[in-house]
Amino acid sequence: MRKHELLSEAEREQLFGIPVDRDTLARLYTFEISDLELIWNRREDRNRLGVALQLALLRHPGMSLAQILHRPAGLPNELVIFVAEQLEIPASVLAYYAVREQTMTDHARELATALGLRPAARTDITFMIDAAAKAACSTDKGVDIAAGITSALREAKILLPAISTIERTGIAGRARARKQAAHALLSGLSPEHLEALDALLIDETGTGTIPLIWLKAIPTAAKPDHVRGILERLRAIREVNISAKLSTAVHPDRYHQFVQEARISPAYMIERYTVSRRRATLVALLIDLEERLTDAAIEMADKLVGGMFSRAQNKQTRRYAGTARDVARLMRLFRGTIDALSTAHLNDTDPIELVDETVGWANLLKARHEVEELAETADVDPLVSAVDRYATLRKFAPALIEALEFKAGRGSAKTIAAVQTLRDLNKSGKRAVPPDAPMPFKKDWRKLVIEADGKINRRLYETATLAHLRNKLRSGDVWVERSSAYRRFDSYLLPEPTAAPIVSGLGLPDTADEWLAQRGRELDWRLKRFERRLKRNQHEGVRFTGERLQISPVRSAVPPEAETLADRLDALMPRIQITELLHDVARETGFMSAFTNLRTGETCRNENALLAAILANATNLGLSRMAAASQGVTRDQFIWTQDDYVREDTYRKALAAIINAQHRLPISSIWGDGTTSSSDGQFFRGAKRGASGGDINARYGVDPGFSFYTHVSDQHGPFHIKVITAATHEAPYVLDGLLHHGSDLSILEHYTDTGGVSDHMFALCAMLGFRFCPRLRDFADRRLIPIAQPSSYGSIAPLLGKRVRTDIIREHWNGVVRLVASLKSGHVAPSVILRKLAAYERQNKLDIALQEIGKIERTLFMLDWLENPSLRRRCQAGLNKGEQRHALAQAIYTFRQGRVIDRSREAQQYRASGLNLVIAAIVYWNSTYMADAIEHLRAEGHQIDDDLLPHTSPAGWEHIAFSGDFLWDRAARTSGRKPLTLTGGQRVA
């Protein structure tokens, strides 16, 4: 797409192209009786066919035949044949119709009049620009703007002008919409506001750093000094005093556009904008920065306070470990004492004398002090140990609670009062806590905070209050104004009137009674059927011994013949450099067009630089090292490309393009139909030192790190990825990938391992239309939960838990369906709301209602699992595809010892997204050549059983070279279909 073009070739074809497939031709170009009357009024077949085509084209795409004939693609032969067949005349007569151009013109004019249409005139330019500006209020996408123009023209009964005219008016309308949005963001600002905005780009201190650069440089490592630095930036933004209400002056999408542009644009580029655009961009940035800085300060304080208690816990654990030998010695002494007392009791002798004789009274008295110390060690609350790092807390806590305004509902009013007490103490400089100070934290801490003399220990009180505030912020019981991640809980839910049509579309009943009646009947019938069949030993691989189920593990179902076939296919794959592979996939799928410039909407012209930047992220090589290893691409080009074209949303669109292309390949259907998927986390170690190394999860050893949580389809395509810390529970992120992947896949059934499981997930997946099928590690220990009395189910009663609390479901049904609608609409990310619910110290009723619904859905799933061996095998096969993807990821992400060393979440997500995109490209490329290999083997007379093909995989990589010099120019020249690798030197395409 050239600089002054609005649409790419693909977008022009999308809007103005003439379809060639039979079904679409039938829908668009089938004539009515009135149409046929207009056509048959003409003399000679050539005129009838010409008029029929004119009539068809005037209706779609809304152009005359002359306009279509002057386009490079011309008139599709499929349309001519389709129209000619309706008229039962030869298509070849059209060649005689266009001999006299005036005839075409006259017919077009007559037909337009008959249809109530008129041609576009120069005076319509203003109308078209207005329509473009209206469409551009919410977007800069050329295809949406052009669609707005064409829609307006069709409504006004105006024939479409030349495509170039539509593009020029679209560009003009987009420019007008940008100016209007800029003026709207600046409305109501005083000269002082404007002067403060301009000052953000001026180095008044002479240090060489302008304020805007400092404001955008948000620290990431969790340190007390960094919290203060974030709060200083927040204070500076508040001094400019830009009202957050200005963000509502423009369409949300247009405001988001300003924010995105401000985030990625360096200060020098913003300085070059026109005055109104520059100031509007700064307004959006300041509003956005206030939210992000608020979130960053709370998140960093959360980590620091949490770290205090983690260190306290670790310290206590080490103390226990250090006393192990003493505990063993004292326990032996205690056992000897008990034995002596028991013997004295049986023999009716003096116990004191016998203890002194066998154990030694002096030894007991000597051990008394040691036992007392050990008992105190065991009883030490983490709060007491955490206070050892009180000095760290004081470095940032006073500034934090002074800078942020905390709010809460009635249930957490005491928390706000306690924070205000700390705020008052900091202002006054007093050390003594008032005796009537509110104590919102748990009772055990209240006992510790109040000392023997009745006074309140300041250190313990402040530490306990801030730890309690941390938990309340996580759950949403306490919130902060001007925050995105710590908002009021209700703000995450759609209003009931907005949620109602979404709930209806999901097929959810209006009342809980209706849902419970349906689910209750099904659950009762399923439990009774399960009991009958279990008695008869009719469940394959399931036994009931005593009061416990025994389930046979799923065995590998891959026949040896399938492994042999997979090896033969792998041997035929062409040997290729990763650079060539990426160029091939880019040419075949067009995924490069997804990487657009945020400011201009243009695609990247330097394909080598873009592919190299993607590969630098995927391999963890980094831009500098990739530049050193690449031929024909400089480091400056890498940086420019990364800054202007590589974003999380462009990665997502590019990935969807590859997944969609692979989904359309005929061979993909042998692995699945794209309706099932699996998800799992893959651990990557973090930096060796510093505060950016992630979190420690004992499952992965003692190294801190991150998890790349990936969704993989049954066709092996990795269609979604998210970076989470290693210590984060995976379940909240399952729905993120199912709801917001952006590809054409229609997932109906999803598999995870135990890490992705919670009762919330069972409830939400069922209500959103997904069948959730996890592989539960502790399946036999989980209880089936009935709605009726457990005694109703006879012999399986030992397998049943407490009844579902239907009253809770009834009471909070409206809140549950609002939550489901909010997730479905994208109003809130599932991971956000699920983490909020999980963070409640005392579960709120909505959380409990979801859990109770989840228990019903989990029970139905567990019955499916027990009764259906094929489900167990499907789940195992789905998870195996994820494991194959993980193995490929390990082979690609090798540089820097495979560690995630980036500090910012954005950079970490770029690494993960680049890795996932390259894996998807390999899966697509392998799929196309596996199809060629299968065809070749069959052409050579080899019998290939169709039942063996599902056991093959396009996730192999032995034939791909990932390292060495990256010769991008050479790869671009040599891209194209490669011959298969054949034995004996013979080659075949």
Side-chain angles (χ1 to χ4, degrees):
M1 190 166 63
R2 292 184 291 274
K3 183 175 182 180
H4 297 294
E5 290 181 339
L6 186 71
L7 303 171
S8 65
E9 285 297 330
E11 290 168 340
R12 290 191 191 96
E13 184 63 26
Q14 174 186 340
L15 286 175
F16 308 112
I18 300 171
V20 295
D21 64 285
R22 190 77 181 186
D23 291 346
T24 308
L25 288 171
R27 282 193 292 269
L28 292 176
Y29 300 123
T30 299
F31 296 126
E32 302 283 350
I33 294 177
S34 57
D35 299 329
L36 293 173
E37 289 176 355
L38 281 173
I39 296 168
W40 286 106
N41 282 336
R42 307 294 168 180
R43 290 179 298 174
E44 301 183 21
D45 286 348
R46 63 180 181 179
N47 288 330
R48 290 168 184 151
L49 181 56
V51 167
L53 288 169
Q54 292 259 35
L55 183 60
L57 294 171
L58 287 175
R59 285 182 171 157
H60 181 84
M63 296 179 177
S64 67
L65 179 59
Q67 287 176 284
I68 298 298
L69 291 174
H70 283 94
R71 287 165 52 174
L75 186 66
N77 196 44
E78 290 85 352
L79 174 61
V80 178
I81 293 172
F82 179 78
V83 171
E85 286 177 355
Q86 289 188 73
L87 303 180
E88 298 182 351
I89 58 179
S92 58
V93 301
L94 182 65
Y96 304 102
Y97 175 68
V99 173
R100 187 170 177 267
E101 191 168 328
Q102 186 62 42
T103 301
M104 280 199 303
T105 304
D106 293 342
H107 286 170
R109 188 181 299 112
E110 292 172 16
L111 288 172
T113 302
L115 295 173
L117 303 172
R118 68 172 178 82
R122 184 177 293 274
T123 54
D124 294 320
I125 295 294
T126 302
F127 171 75
M128 294 169 66
I129 293 175
D130 290 341
K134 183 178 179 180
C137 282
S138 61
T139 182
D140 271 351
K141 294 179 180 178
V143 66
D144 294 338
I145 296 170
I149 298 171
T150 56
S151 177
L153 288 170
R154 286 166 181 157
E155 287 180 9
K157 298 286 188 177
I158 300 173
L159 294 175
L160 299 187
I163 296 176
S164 59
T165 302
I166 293 175
E167 290 197 63
R168 287 197 302 272
T169 55
I171 291 170
R174 183 172 63 184
R176 179 188 293 181
R178 287 173 175 172
K179 290 179 181 179
Q180 291 172 343
H183 288 304
L185 280 175
L186 297 175
S187 61
L189 293 185
S190 65
E192 289 76 15
H193 284 122
L194 300 178
E195 184 179 346
L197 290 174
D198 293 338
L200 294 175
L201 294 167
I202 300 173
D203 178 18
E204 296 179 341
T205 61
T207 60
T209 302
I210 63 175
L212 183 61
I213 296 176
W214 173 70
L215 288 174
K216 292 176 71 174
I218 304 177
T220 57
K223 297 179 181 179
D225 291 344
H226 286 173
V227 177
R228 293 203 305 270
I230 291 172
L231 295 175
E232 287 175 12
R233 290 169 172 81
L234 187 59
R235 195 175 301 112
I237 288 173
R238 289 174 176 173
E239 288 175 357
V240 181
N241 196 26
I242 298 295
S243 172
K245 293 181 180 180
L246 284 175
S247 63
T248 62
V250 296
H251 191 281
D253 292 342
R254 174 60 67 182
Y255 169 71
H256 184 63
Q257 176 87 8
F258 273 110
V259 170
Q260 275 194 309
E261 189 173 329
R263 286 186 184 182
I264 69 170
S265 299
Y268 73 84
M269 187 171 290
I270 295 176
E271 194 173 9
R272 295 175 184 173
Y273 292 169
T274 60
V275 174
S276 61
R277 182 183 177 190
R278 180 180 71 239
R279 288 172 172 171
T281 302
L282 291 174
V283 166
L285 177 62
L286 292 183
I287 295 172
D288 175 62
L289 271 176
E290 186 173 358
E291 285 191 1
R292 290 168 58 205
L293 288 168
T294 300
D295 291 345
I298 297 174
E299 184 177 350
M300 199 172 291
D302 180 297
K303 289 182 178 179
L304 289 169
V305 173
M308 291 172 60
F309 283 84
S310 296
R311 290 186 180 92
Q313 193 69 43
N314 293 338
K315 181 180 178 181
Q316 194 163 349
T317 301
R318 289 194 297 271
R319 289 173 65 183
Y320 281 141
T323 58
R325 296 179 64 181
D326 292 333
V327 169
R329 176 174 52 82
L330 292 172
M331 291 305 292
R332 287 193 295 269
L333 186 66
F334 183 51
R335 186 186 64 186
T337 304
I338 293 175
D339 291 342
L341 293 173
S342 177
T343 301
H345 177 70
L346 291 174
N347 298 333
D348 196 22
T349 57
D350 187 348
I352 301 299
E353 291 182 2
L354 190 56
V355 167
D356 185 41
E357 180 182 339
T358 57
V359 177
W361 190 253
N363 291 333
L364 279 177
L365 293 177
K366 183 180 178 181
R368 180 179 180 180
H369 180 66
E370 294 181 75
V371 171
E372 185 178 357
E373 284 186 347
L374 285 173
E376 289 179 356
T377 299
D379 290 337
V380 171
D381 191 283
L383 175 65
V384 176
S385 301
V387 170
D388 292 344
R389 300 187 65 83
Y390 178 73
T392 300
L393 191 71
R394 289 294 299 174
K395 289 180 181 179
F396 69 89
L400 181 76
I401 62 177
E402 183 63 32
L404 303 181
E405 182 182 358
F406 300 100
K407 293 188 175 182
R410 291 183 179 179
S412 298
K414 288 180 67 175
T415 304
I416 303 301
V419 172
Q420 186 59 45
T421 299
L422 292 179
R423 195 177 284 137
D424 294 339
L425 289 171
N426 292 329
K427 285 181 180 179
S428 65
K430 295 179 180 178
R431 292 190 54 81
V433 180
D436 59 346
M439 297 185 185
F441 33 82
K442 55 187 180 181
K443 293 180 180 179
D444 292 344
W445 284 4
R446 293 176 201 167
K447 296 176 183 178
L448 293 172
V449 165
I450 300 175
E451 297 178 333
D453 57 2
K455 293 182 179 180
I456 296 176
N457 185 303
R458 168 68 181 271
R459 292 188 168 202
L460 290 171
Y461 179 81
E462 187 165 359
T463 305
T465 298
L466 290 171
H468 177 73
L469 176 64
R470 169 180 179 258
N471 294 334
K472 288 291 186 180
L473 284 167
R474 283 184 162 194
S475 67
D477 281 341
V478 173
W479 63 89
V480 178
E481 296 295 333
R482 301 293 302 115
S483 169
S484 175
Y486 299 92
R487 309 197 314 254
R488 182 173 183 160
F489 185 83
D490 285 349
S491 68
Y492 292 102
L493 305 181
L494 286 172
E496 286 192 21
T498 308
I502 301 173
V503 172
S504 177
L506 289 169
L508 296 176
D510 294 330
T511 65
D513 286 329
E514 185 180 346
W515 184 86
L516 284 168
Q518 185 272 327
R519 268 329 200 206
R521 287 192 298 270
E522 181 178 359
L523 184 57
D524 180 66
W525 175 73
R526 294 287 304 277
L527 284 170
K528 289 177 179 177
R529 186 181 70 173
F530 176 70
E531 181 196 10
R532 290 194 303 270
R533 292 184 174 180
L534 195 62
K535 282 182 179 179
R536 299 169 187 166
N537 201 23
Q538 292 179 331
H539 294 303
E540 180 183 335
V542 178
R543 297 289 182 273
F544 186 36
T545 57
E547 296 184 352
R548 185 178 176 84
L549 284 174
Q550 290 184 349
I551 307 169
S552 301
V554 178
R555 303 298 181 187
S556 175
V558 180
E561 298 84 357
E563 295 181 354
T564 302
L565 173 61
D567 291 339
R568 293 174 68 184
L569 294 177
D570 287 344
L572 288 171
M573 301 295 283
R575 301 318 184 237
I576 192 169
Q577 295 285 333
I578 187 61
T579 50
E580 297 174 307
L581 185 148
L582 291 176
H583 268 292
D584 284 351
V585 176
R587 178 178 54 81
E588 293 181 24
T589 65
F591 77 83
M592 298 277 281
S593 62
F595 292 94
T596 56
N597 188 301
L598 181 63
R599 289 174 288 274
T600 66
E602 298 176 3
T603 55
C604 183
R605 299 182 188 177
N606 192 337
E607 292 189 357
N608 287 341
L610 180 54
L611 290 175
I614 293 169
L615 189 60
N617 281 326
T619 60
N620 204 28
L621 186 58
L623 295 182
S624 296
R625 292 185 180 183
M626 176 59 76
S630 295
Q631 185 183 71
V633 186
T634 66
R635 184 176 182 275
D636 291 342
Q637 289 173 328
F638 279 139
I639 293 174
W640 171 76
T641 302
Q642 175 99 340
D643 287 348
D644 279 28
Y645 296 95
V646 176
R647 303 184 300 278
E648 189 172 346
D649 64 310
T650 56
Y651 260 132
R652 185 168 56 250
K653 292 174 184 175
L655 177 64
I658 299 176
I659 296 298
N660 292 341
Q662 197 239 353
H663 179 53
R664 291 191 294 267
L665 294 175
I667 190 175
S668 296
S669 62
I670 70 173
W671 299 303
D673 57 4
T675 60
T676 69
S677 62
S678 65
S679 60
D680 189 24
Q682 184 175 18
F683 178 73
F684 290 90
R685 292 177 298 168
K688 290 184 177 180
R689 58 181 64 88
S692 61
D695 293 335
I696 295 175
N697 186 331
R699 177 184 173 189
Y700 304 114
V702 296
D703 287 337
F706 302 89
S707 181
F708 290 4
Y709 196 72
T710 311
H711 289 63
V712 178
S713 77
D714 52 16
Q715 297 174 333
H716 292 272
F719 60 89
H720 187 267
I721 192 165
K722 181 74 174 179
V723 179
I724 60 178
T725 59
T728 301
H729 191 45
E730 294 176 349
Y733 298 91
V734 172
L735 277 172
D736 281 3
L738 294 179
L739 289 173
H740 306 304
H741 54 82
S743 73
D744 293 341
L745 298 175
S746 181
I747 304 299
L748 301 177
E749 186 170 280
H750 186 73
Y751 317 116
T752 71
D753 59 14
T754 306
V757 176
S758 70
D759 284 340
H760 290 144
M761 279 303 306
F762 279 105
L764 292 174
C765 281
M767 300 181 86
L768 287 165
F770 301 107
R771 189 183 187 194
F772 185 49
C773 303
R775 181 182 61 191
L776 299 174
R777 181 176 56 249
D778 53 350
F779 192 100
D781 297 324
R782 294 177 182 255
R783 290 286 177 261
L784 302 171
I785 310 299
I787 294 179
Q789 286 288 352
S791 58
S792 306
Y793 304 104
S795 61
I796 63 170
L799 301 176
L800 305 181
K802 293 181 180 179
R803 297 174 60 189
V804 171
R805 289 180 285 181
T806 55
D807 56 325
I808 296 291
I809 297 175
R810 290 189 179 93
E811 183 180 355
H812 297 280
W813 178 256
N814 290 338
V816 169
V817 295
R818 274 181 66 199
L819 171 58
V820 172
S822 302
L823 297 180
K824 181 66 176 178
S825 67
H827 182 69
V828 61
S831 56
V832 172
I833 202 72
L834 288 172
R835 283 186 287 119
K836 289 286 181 187
L837 290 172
Y840 276 97
E841 286 183 314
R842 293 184 300 274
Q843 294 174 317
N844 72 355
K845 295 299 179 66
L846 179 60
D847 178 53
I848 297 174
L850 264 180
Q851 284 191 2
E852 295 302 307
I853 292 172
K855 290 175 183 177
I856 297 174
E857 299 297 342
R858 173 169 56 81
T859 300
L860 289 170
F861 158 73
M862 291 174 70
L863 292 171
D864 285 339
W865 185 271
L866 292 167
E867 295 174 344
N868 191 348
S870 64
L871 174 61
R872 301 199 289 269
R873 288 191 289 268
R874 283 205 313 274
C875 178
Q876 185 66 40
L879 292 173
N880 286 344
K881 291 176 181 179
E883 292 298 330
Q884 292 168 4
R885 182 260 171 210
H886 291 346
L888 177 53
Q890 290 285 6
I892 298 171
Y893 197 82
T894 55
F895 292 98
R896 295 190 175 104
Q897 299 177 325
R899 293 180 180 270
V900 180
I901 66 170
D902 303 282
R903 289 175 175 246
S904 72
R905 293 283 177 86
E906 183 181 58
Q908 293 166 4
Q909 187 63 41
Y910 286 172
R911 293 278 192 240
S913 298
L915 175 61
N916 216 36
L917 185 70
V918 170
I919 291 173
I922 291 171
V923 168
Y924 171 85
W925 191 91
N926 284 347
S927 298
T928 64
Y929 282 96
M930 287 180 71
D932 290 351
I934 293 169
E935 183 180 352
H936 167 73
L937 288 175
R938 283 176 169 162
E940 291 289 314
H942 298 282
Q943 294 295 324
I944 298 179
D945 189 346
D946 289 340
D947 292 337
L948 299 179
L949 291 175
H951 299 292
T952 62
S953 169
W957 72 89
E958 292 82 358
H959 53 286
I960 304 171
F962 293 117
S963 58
D965 291 335
F966 300 105
L967 309 178
W968 294 102
D969 288 335
R970 175 181 168 185
R973 290 193 304 270
T974 58
S975 65
R977 297 300 293 175
K978 308 292 188 296
L980 297 176
T981 301
L982 302 179
T983 57
Q986 185 181 0
R987 311 286 286 184
V988 60

